[in-house]
Amino acid sequence: MRPSSCDTFVALPPSTEGQRIIFGKNSDRPCDEVQEVVYFPATDYAAGEKVECTYIEIEQVAHTYAVVLSRPAWLWGAEMGANEHQVCIGNEAVWGRQSADGEEALLGMDLVRLGLERADTAENAVTVITELLEKYGQGGSCMEDESSFTYHNSFLISDRKEAWLLETSGKYWAAERVEGGYRNISNQYGITTKIDKEHPEMRAYAQSKGWWDGKTEFNFATVYSFMTTARIEASGSRYCEGKKLLEKSNGHITAETMMDILRDKDSGINMEGMFMTTGSMVSVIPTDPDLPGVHYFTATPDPERSVFKPFIFVKNLHPLKETSSPSYGLDDPVKKKPRFQSKPDRKHELFVKHELVAAIIESHKDRGRKITEGIRYCSL
């Protein structure tokens, strides 16, 4: 499977304006898939309780943090989101030497949600995700379809002071701390020789497979990927284009900068076609713990034609009704085996309204231009 979707970005001081961390992600998914934005409050659980993820049930923890998630409406996990401690996580599909065609387990999107619900810092999220990965594994179709679209996962995780890049291959993983500047990830391994945490058997496994001789400097991307780092840096890739767009605004990166990057179609970051950008997120996290983080979500496809709507963690939050899809419970085709025998209507209220506006933009040039200009103004 050729990498074909998603880009995630983070910018930290001194690359940003003010003492802020800017996080952004486009979720590129099948063009007919609905992405919803949902809020779950902090919750306490009794000993022995379980949590049902997309495909498997796992042990619940005593306390989960409040989270806001942007997720494909058919599954439990999330493509991206944030929690009350201003931890932000986005994931990417990656493929490499190791097969991703395993049994149903935790999806990378489940791990995003679990990391947000259980970790109060970015580094702790790395620990949460890797421990769950080693215990339960990753696997299962990542599309609401019988085609069994599977992949390994990389994660970009940030909080108020730093970011972490976590890349996985089966149960093996490597993590790199990012303490300043900017970083972006796409659908290729990006950790090279700077490895700050790793699976204790990751190098030995690679050596046993003949991927590494045990003598040369260990480069995670080269060893575990189909492609060398030269291919990752190749001109024309979305990764390279995203890096250029960040560099262009280095020292002055703002929420508006990140939204512009996510809306960029020439680079392929704002994707069109059978796989398209179905949801986008930009978070602005002040390094000052007394200031709130602001999380912007589209909850609709194509950020160029979507308003980024702000969310702030405050007390007594109400459910996000207009961006929540219908629930089908145990009757959902995802829950029945064999899975995916039909597709119910998952469109939420905002999605339906967006479809009407998108049609107007497409068919009425002048009116469409005014609407698009208004969308840009409303987003900030």
mmCIF file of all heavy atoms in Angstrom, residues 17-52:
data_model
loop_
_atom_site.group_PDB
_atom_site.id
_atom_site.type_symbol
_atom_site.label_atom_id
_atom_site.label_comp_id
_atom_site.label_asym_id
_atom_site.label_seq_id
_atom_site.Cartn_x
_atom_site.Cartn_y
_atom_site.Cartn_z
ATOM 1 N N GLU A 17 5.010 32.728 16.964
ATOM 2 C CA GLU A 17 4.852 34.070 17.531
ATOM 3 C C GLU A 17 4.365 33.939 18.962
ATOM 4 O O GLU A 17 3.391 33.235 19.234
ATOM 5 C CB GLU A 17 3.849 34.894 16.717
ATOM 6 C CG GLU A 17 4.415 35.449 15.427
ATOM 7 C CD GLU A 17 3.516 36.511 14.810
ATOM 8 O OE1 GLU A 17 2.470 36.825 15.408
ATOM 9 O OE2 GLU A 17 3.869 37.016 13.728
ATOM 10 N N GLY A 18 5.030 34.643 19.882
ATOM 11 C CA GLY A 18 4.650 34.534 21.282
ATOM 12 C C GLY A 18 5.052 33.190 21.859
ATOM 13 O O GLY A 18 5.586 32.319 21.172
ATOM 14 N N GLN A 19 4.802 33.017 23.114
ATOM 15 C CA GLN A 19 5.142 31.764 23.794
ATOM 16 C C GLN A 19 3.984 30.783 23.638
ATOM 17 O O GLN A 19 3.254 30.475 24.574
ATOM 18 C CB GLN A 19 5.450 32.036 25.263
ATOM 19 C CG GLN A 19 6.725 32.832 25.487
ATOM 20 C CD GLN A 19 7.945 32.096 24.917
ATOM 21 O OE1 GLN A 19 8.235 30.966 25.297
ATOM 22 N NE2 GLN A 19 8.681 32.756 24.029
ATOM 23 N N ARG A 20 3.839 30.283 22.410
ATOM 24 C CA ARG A 20 2.734 29.384 22.089
ATOM 25 C C ARG A 20 3.250 28.187 21.291
ATOM 26 O O ARG A 20 4.190 28.312 20.512
ATOM 27 C CB ARG A 20 1.666 30.098 21.263
ATOM 28 C CG ARG A 20 1.059 31.314 21.933
ATOM 29 C CD ARG A 20 0.011 31.952 21.025
ATOM 30 N NE ARG A 20 -0.537 33.167 21.603
ATOM 31 C CZ ARG A 20 -0.051 34.373 21.388
ATOM 32 N NH1 ARG A 20 1.002 34.527 20.589
ATOM 33 N NH2 ARG A 20 -0.593 35.432 21.942
ATOM 34 N N ILE A 21 2.566 27.068 21.479
ATOM 35 C CA ILE A 21 2.800 25.894 20.653
ATOM 36 C C ILE A 21 1.609 25.755 19.719
ATOM 37 O O ILE A 21 0.456 25.833 20.148
ATOM 38 C CB ILE A 21 2.975 24.633 21.522
ATOM 39 C CG1 ILE A 21 4.296 24.737 22.309
ATOM 40 C CG2 ILE A 21 2.961 23.367 20.666
ATOM 41 C CD1 ILE A 21 4.523 23.633 23.308
ATOM 42 N N ILE A 22 1.876 25.593 18.426
ATOM 43 C CA ILE A 22 0.824 25.471 17.421
ATOM 44 C C ILE A 22 0.851 24.049 16.862
ATOM 45 O O ILE A 22 1.865 23.603 16.326
ATOM 46 C CB ILE A 22 1.004 26.480 16.269
ATOM 47 C CG1 ILE A 22 1.250 27.898 16.804
ATOM 48 C CG2 ILE A 22 -0.207 26.438 15.337
ATOM 49 C CD1 ILE A 22 0.086 28.508 17.534
ATOM 50 N N PHE A 23 -0.265 23.356 16.990
ATOM 51 C CA PHE A 23 -0.406 21.980 16.519
ATOM 52 C C PHE A 23 -1.446 21.954 15.404
ATOM 53 O O PHE A 23 -2.456 22.655 15.479
ATOM 54 C CB PHE A 23 -0.864 21.091 17.684
ATOM 55 C CG PHE A 23 -1.081 19.642 17.328
ATOM 56 C CD1 PHE A 23 -0.082 18.701 17.502
ATOM 57 C CD2 PHE A 23 -2.311 19.206 16.833
ATOM 58 C CE1 PHE A 23 -0.285 17.363 17.189
ATOM 59 C CE2 PHE A 23 -2.527 17.879 16.524
ATOM 60 C CZ PHE A 23 -1.509 16.949 16.701
ATOM 61 N N GLY A 24 -1.205 21.167 14.361
ATOM 62 C CA GLY A 24 -2.182 21.093 13.275
ATOM 63 C C GLY A 24 -2.176 19.735 12.600
ATOM 64 O O GLY A 24 -1.141 19.068 12.541
ATOM 65 N N LYS A 25 -3.349 19.338 12.111
ATOM 66 C CA LYS A 25 -3.430 18.065 11.374
ATOM 67 C C LYS A 25 -4.593 18.078 10.389
ATOM 68 O O LYS A 25 -5.681 18.564 10.690
ATOM 69 C CB LYS A 25 -3.618 16.892 12.333
ATOM 70 C CG LYS A 25 -3.871 15.545 11.617
ATOM 71 C CD LYS A 25 -3.940 14.393 12.582
ATOM 72 C CE LYS A 25 -4.603 13.163 11.979
ATOM 73 N NZ LYS A 25 -3.820 12.483 10.952
ATOM 74 N N ASN A 26 -4.332 17.546 9.205
ATOM 75 C CA ASN A 26 -5.374 17.179 8.258
ATOM 76 C C ASN A 26 -5.592 15.681 8.343
ATOM 77 O O ASN A 26 -4.631 14.911 8.282
ATOM 78 C CB ASN A 26 -4.982 17.540 6.820
ATOM 79 C CG ASN A 26 -5.402 18.939 6.432
ATOM 80 O OD1 ASN A 26 -6.099 19.626 7.180
ATOM 81 N ND2 ASN A 26 -4.968 19.372 5.261
ATOM 82 N N SER A 27 -6.839 15.292 8.474
ATOM 83 C CA SER A 27 -7.192 13.876 8.448
ATOM 84 C C SER A 27 -7.675 13.546 7.048
ATOM 85 O O SER A 27 -8.736 14.003 6.627
ATOM 86 C CB SER A 27 -8.291 13.588 9.474
ATOM 87 O OG SER A 27 -8.783 12.274 9.314
ATOM 88 N N ASP A 28 -6.888 12.785 6.319
ATOM 89 C CA ASP A 28 -7.240 12.427 4.943
ATOM 90 C C ASP A 28 -7.770 11.001 4.932
ATOM 91 O O ASP A 28 -7.048 10.058 5.254
ATOM 92 C CB ASP A 28 -6.017 12.565 4.036
ATOM 93 C CG ASP A 28 -5.479 13.983 4.037
ATOM 94 O OD1 ASP A 28 -6.294 14.913 4.145
ATOM 95 O OD2 ASP A 28 -4.255 14.154 3.958
ATOM 96 N N ARG A 29 -9.019 10.880 4.534
ATOM 97 C CA ARG A 29 -9.740 9.626 4.661
ATOM 98 C C ARG A 29 -10.580 9.386 3.406
ATOM 99 O O ARG A 29 -10.630 10.234 2.519
ATOM 100 C CB ARG A 29 -10.661 9.699 5.889
ATOM 101 C CG ARG A 29 -9.952 9.987 7.223
ATOM 102 C CD ARG A 29 -9.307 8.776 7.802
ATOM 103 N NE ARG A 29 -10.282 7.701 7.959
ATOM 104 C CZ ARG A 29 -9.962 6.438 8.212
ATOM 105 N NH1 ARG A 29 -8.695 6.084 8.306
ATOM 106 N NH2 ARG A 29 -10.896 5.515 8.358
ATOM 107 N N PRO A 30 -11.270 8.247 3.298
ATOM 108 C CA PRO A 30 -12.146 8.027 2.138
ATOM 109 C C PRO A 30 -13.142 9.167 1.968
ATOM 110 O O PRO A 30 -13.695 9.672 2.948
ATOM 111 C CB PRO A 30 -12.858 6.711 2.495
ATOM 112 C CG PRO A 30 -11.881 6.000 3.366
ATOM 113 C CD PRO A 30 -11.219 7.064 4.182
ATOM 114 N N CYS A 31 -13.372 9.581 0.729
ATOM 115 C CA CYS A 31 -14.127 10.802 0.459
ATOM 116 C C CYS A 31 -15.580 10.738 0.923
ATOM 117 O O CYS A 31 -16.211 11.787 1.123
ATOM 118 C CB CYS A 31 -14.059 11.146 -1.030
ATOM 119 S SG CYS A 31 -14.789 9.884 -2.102
ATOM 120 N N ASP A 32 -16.127 9.540 1.130
ATOM 121 C CA ASP A 32 -17.523 9.438 1.565
ATOM 122 C C ASP A 32 -17.654 9.240 3.074
ATOM 123 O O ASP A 32 -18.732 8.984 3.588
ATOM 124 C CB ASP A 32 -18.232 8.284 0.841
ATOM 125 C CG ASP A 32 -17.599 6.925 1.141
ATOM 126 O OD1 ASP A 32 -16.470 6.890 1.671
ATOM 127 O OD2 ASP A 32 -18.255 5.903 0.835
ATOM 128 N N GLU A 33 -16.556 9.384 3.797
ATOM 129 C CA GLU A 33 -16.569 9.158 5.240
ATOM 130 C C GLU A 33 -16.887 10.455 5.989
ATOM 131 O O GLU A 33 -16.360 11.517 5.669
ATOM 132 C CB GLU A 33 -15.221 8.613 5.697
ATOM 133 C CG GLU A 33 -15.179 8.203 7.155
ATOM 134 C CD GLU A 33 -13.831 7.604 7.523
ATOM 135 O OE1 GLU A 33 -12.884 8.382 7.753
ATOM 136 O OE2 GLU A 33 -13.720 6.361 7.539
ATOM 137 N N VAL A 34 -17.738 10.356 6.998
ATOM 138 C CA VAL A 34 -18.111 11.509 7.822
ATOM 139 C C VAL A 34 -17.198 11.572 9.045
ATOM 140 O O VAL A 34 -16.975 10.566 9.717
ATOM 141 C CB VAL A 34 -19.577 11.398 8.294
ATOM 142 C CG1 VAL A 34 -19.934 12.560 9.224
ATOM 143 C CG2 VAL A 34 -20.514 11.376 7.093
ATOM 144 N N GLN A 35 -16.654 12.746 9.311
ATOM 145 C CA GLN A 35 -15.846 12.951 10.509
ATOM 146 C C GLN A 35 -16.631 13.830 11.481
ATOM 147 O O GLN A 35 -17.146 14.881 11.099
ATOM 148 C CB GLN A 35 -14.497 13.602 10.173
ATOM 149 C CG GLN A 35 -13.551 13.566 11.347
ATOM 150 C CD GLN A 35 -12.119 13.209 10.959
ATOM 151 O OE1 GLN A 35 -11.196 13.488 11.700
ATOM 152 N NE2 GLN A 35 -11.929 12.559 9.821
ATOM 153 N N GLU A 36 -16.707 13.378 12.712
ATOM 154 C CA GLU A 36 -17.442 14.130 13.732
ATOM 155 C C GLU A 36 -16.474 14.682 14.774
ATOM 156 O O GLU A 36 -15.364 14.181 14.925
ATOM 157 C CB GLU A 36 -18.501 13.253 14.409
ATOM 158 C CG GLU A 36 -17.936 12.044 15.135
ATOM 159 C CD GLU A 36 -18.997 11.228 15.865
ATOM 160 O OE1 GLU A 36 -20.153 11.682 15.978
ATOM 161 O OE2 GLU A 36 -18.660 10.132 16.344
ATOM 162 N N VAL A 37 -16.919 15.727 15.485
ATOM 163 C CA VAL A 37 -16.152 16.281 16.597
ATOM 164 C C VAL A 37 -16.988 16.095 17.861
ATOM 165 O O VAL A 37 -18.126 16.569 17.940
ATOM 166 C CB VAL A 37 -15.814 17.766 16.382
ATOM 167 C CG1 VAL A 37 -15.159 18.352 17.631
ATOM 168 C CG2 VAL A 37 -14.872 17.918 15.188
ATOM 169 N N VAL A 38 -16.429 15.378 18.831
ATOM 170 C CA VAL A 38 -17.176 15.008 20.023
ATOM 171 C C VAL A 38 -16.366 15.323 21.286
ATOM 172 O O VAL A 38 -15.135 15.323 21.269
ATOM 173 C CB VAL A 38 -17.544 13.508 20.006
ATOM 174 C CG1 VAL A 38 -18.625 13.238 18.983
ATOM 175 C CG2 VAL A 38 -16.324 12.636 19.691
ATOM 176 N N TYR A 39 -17.095 15.569 22.372
ATOM 177 C CA TYR A 39 -16.487 15.864 23.678
ATOM 178 C C TYR A 39 -16.908 14.799 24.676
ATOM 179 O O TYR A 39 -18.068 14.394 24.725
ATOM 180 C CB TYR A 39 -16.938 17.236 24.171
ATOM 181 C CG TYR A 39 -16.673 17.481 25.642
ATOM 182 C CD1 TYR A 39 -15.396 17.774 26.095
ATOM 183 C CD2 TYR A 39 -17.707 17.400 26.579
ATOM 184 C CE1 TYR A 39 -15.143 17.991 27.440
ATOM 185 C CE2 TYR A 39 -17.465 17.613 27.931
ATOM 186 C CZ TYR A 39 -16.185 17.903 28.358
ATOM 187 O OH TYR A 39 -15.936 18.110 29.691
ATOM 188 N N PHE A 40 -15.920 14.325 25.462
ATOM 189 C CA PHE A 40 -16.210 13.387 26.538
ATOM 190 C C PHE A 40 -15.630 13.949 27.837
ATOM 191 O O PHE A 40 -14.439 14.288 27.886
ATOM 192 C CB PHE A 40 -15.600 12.011 26.256
ATOM 193 C CG PHE A 40 -16.197 11.331 25.055
ATOM 194 C CD1 PHE A 40 -15.530 11.354 23.831
ATOM 195 C CD2 PHE A 40 -17.425 10.699 25.127
ATOM 196 C CE1 PHE A 40 -16.069 10.734 22.716
ATOM 197 C CE2 PHE A 40 -17.982 10.083 24.012
ATOM 198 C CZ PHE A 40 -17.309 10.097 22.809
ATOM 199 N N PRO A 41 -16.440 14.087 28.887
ATOM 200 C CA PRO A 41 -15.938 14.661 30.139
ATOM 201 C C PRO A 41 -15.024 13.707 30.889
ATOM 202 O O PRO A 41 -14.988 12.493 30.608
ATOM 203 C CB PRO A 41 -17.229 14.899 30.932
ATOM 204 C CG PRO A 41 -18.185 13.858 30.431
ATOM 205 C CD PRO A 41 -17.856 13.708 28.963
ATOM 206 N N ALA A 42 -14.291 14.239 31.849
ATOM 207 C CA ALA A 42 -13.475 13.409 32.729
ATOM 208 C C ALA A 42 -14.409 12.475 33.501
ATOM 209 O O ALA A 42 -15.518 12.865 33.892
ATOM 210 C CB ALA A 42 -12.682 14.276 33.685
ATOM 211 N N THR A 43 -13.958 11.238 33.721
ATOM 212 C CA THR A 43 -14.820 10.235 34.336
ATOM 213 C C THR A 43 -14.019 9.330 35.263
ATOM 214 O O THR A 43 -12.870 8.993 34.971
ATOM 215 C CB THR A 43 -15.501 9.369 33.247
ATOM 216 O OG1 THR A 43 -16.164 10.217 32.308
ATOM 217 C CG2 THR A 43 -16.520 8.416 33.863
ATOM 218 N N ASP A 44 -14.639 8.934 36.382
ATOM 219 C CA ASP A 44 -14.048 7.963 37.297
ATOM 220 C C ASP A 44 -14.690 6.598 37.072
ATOM 221 O O ASP A 44 -15.902 6.507 36.797
ATOM 222 C CB ASP A 44 -14.250 8.392 38.751
ATOM 223 C CG ASP A 44 -13.480 9.656 39.087
ATOM 224 O OD1 ASP A 44 -12.316 9.765 38.661
ATOM 225 O OD2 ASP A 44 -14.036 10.535 39.778
ATOM 226 N N TYR A 45 -13.898 5.527 37.200
ATOM 227 C CA TYR A 45 -14.386 4.176 36.966
ATOM 228 C C TYR A 45 -14.057 3.273 38.144
ATOM 229 O O TYR A 45 -13.068 3.479 38.852
ATOM 230 C CB TYR A 45 -13.758 3.597 35.696
ATOM 231 C CG TYR A 45 -14.139 4.344 34.444
ATOM 232 C CD1 TYR A 45 -13.350 5.381 33.965
ATOM 233 C CD2 TYR A 45 -15.295 4.009 33.735
ATOM 234 C CE1 TYR A 45 -13.702 6.070 32.810
ATOM 235 C CE2 TYR A 45 -15.661 4.691 32.584
ATOM 236 C CZ TYR A 45 -14.849 5.724 32.128
ATOM 237 O OH TYR A 45 -15.204 6.406 30.986
ATOM 238 N N ALA A 46 -14.889 2.266 38.340
ATOM 239 C CA ALA A 46 -14.667 1.287 39.396
ATOM 240 C C ALA A 46 -13.605 0.280 38.963
ATOM 241 O O ALA A 46 -13.367 0.081 37.767
ATOM 242 C CB ALA A 46 -15.973 0.566 39.712
ATOM 243 N N ALA A 47 -12.994 -0.360 39.942
ATOM 244 C CA ALA A 47 -11.972 -1.373 39.655
ATOM 245 C C ALA A 47 -12.569 -2.511 38.831
ATOM 246 O O ALA A 47 -13.703 -2.939 39.066
ATOM 247 C CB ALA A 47 -11.403 -1.910 40.956
ATOM 248 N N GLY A 48 -11.826 -2.964 37.834
ATOM 249 C CA GLY A 48 -12.270 -4.093 37.024
ATOM 250 C C GLY A 48 -13.124 -3.736 35.829
ATOM 251 O O GLY A 48 -13.500 -4.621 35.051
ATOM 252 N N GLU A 49 -13.450 -2.454 35.654
ATOM 253 C CA GLU A 49 -14.269 -2.080 34.500
ATOM 254 C C GLU A 49 -13.476 -2.205 33.200
ATOM 255 O O GLU A 49 -12.246 -2.123 33.186
ATOM 256 C CB GLU A 49 -14.796 -0.645 34.649
ATOM 257 C CG GLU A 49 -15.912 -0.507 35.667
ATOM 258 C CD GLU A 49 -16.716 0.771 35.481
ATOM 259 O OE1 GLU A 49 -17.202 1.014 34.355
ATOM 260 O OE2 GLU A 49 -16.862 1.529 36.466
ATOM 261 N N LYS A 50 -14.202 -2.399 32.116
ATOM 262 C CA LYS A 50 -13.607 -2.538 30.794
ATOM 263 C C LYS A 50 -14.061 -1.386 29.901
ATOM 264 O O LYS A 50 -15.065 -0.727 30.154
ATOM 265 C CB LYS A 50 -14.026 -3.861 30.153
ATOM 266 C CG LYS A 50 -13.713 -5.092 30.991
ATOM 267 C CD LYS A 50 -12.230 -5.410 30.994
ATOM 268 C CE LYS A 50 -11.966 -6.737 31.707
ATOM 269 N NZ LYS A 50 -10.531 -7.100 31.701
ATOM 270 N N VAL A 51 -13.302 -1.159 28.820
ATOM 271 C CA VAL A 51 -13.692 -0.177 27.813
ATOM 272 C C VAL A 51 -13.670 -0.861 26.454
ATOM 273 O O VAL A 51 -12.710 -1.553 26.115
ATOM 274 C CB VAL A 51 -12.769 1.071 27.826
ATOM 275 C CG1 VAL A 51 -11.298 0.691 27.685
ATOM 276 C CG2 VAL A 51 -13.176 2.048 26.736
ATOM 277 N N GLU A 52 -14.760 -0.714 25.714
ATOM 278 C CA GLU A 52 -14.862 -1.333 24.395
ATOM 279 C C GLU A 52 -14.342 -0.362 23.348
ATOM 280 O O GLU A 52 -14.958 0.669 23.081
ATOM 281 C CB GLU A 52 -16.308 -1.722 24.092
ATOM 282 C CG GLU A 52 -16.449 -2.509 22.804
ATOM 283 C CD GLU A 52 -17.869 -2.962 22.535
ATOM 284 O OE1 GLU A 52 -18.724 -2.806 23.424
ATOM 285 O OE2 GLU A 52 -18.111 -3.467 21.417
#
